[in-house]
Amino acid sequence: MSKTVYVLNGPNLDLLGTREPELYGRATLADVEKLCQATAHGHGLAVVFRQSNHEGDIIDWIHEARVDNALGLVINPAGFTTTSVAILDALLTLDAPIIEVHITNIHAREEFRRYSYVSKVARAVICGFGTEGYALAITGLAAVTGAKE
Ligand code: CA2
């Protein structure tokens, strides 16, 4: 097993910090990447951080995480959460633990946001902590994999 955590972000998260700050906060995706890097380094881990608006990219990166023997995978599937059997199928090929993150509390929003295909295979789900949820996910991964320092 490698010391690398993959952090994958789905559609529209490239807009983080530029639109709807009352919902998603003011941190940009670049800020979130820095937070993930700092948190991972604190546990002696490395991060591969990616975002795409295209489902196939995310599926390819999940395959990459498997080939790379990633320690774990953190994913905010965004709008693909509720629709993507293809992302679920890719995640099913991973042995490493998967942590699902949502910036907002999806259970306190519209009903359609509550159903998640990804939750079927997630070791844990973090939602509602804003972008801090990414740091919590990496610390949680470090704990469950025994990498916590
Ligand atoms: O709360 C989350 O992290 C979500 O995964 C965000 C998704 C939404 O579809 C999920 O239900 C919950 C939306 C991501 C859109 O990101 C934006 C960021 C800034 C401005 C506009 C959109």
Side-chain angles (χ1 to χ4, degrees), residues 81-95:
T81 308
T82 57
T83 63
S84 185
V85 174
I87 288 176
L88 170 63
D89 286 340
L91 291 171
L92 280 166
T93 70
L94 266 189
D95 292 324

Side-chain angles (χ1 to χ4, degrees), residues 11-13 15-20 24 76-79 81 101-106 109 112-113 134:
N12 300 307
L13 287 165
L15 298 177
L16 215 54
T18 69
R19 297 273 189 285
E20 301 187 74
Y24 296 111
N76 183 345
T81 308
V101 171
H102 298 282
I103 296 164
T104 59
N105 178 358
I106 54 173
R109 298 183 65 188
F112 68 82
R113 295 189 193 276
Y134 287 80

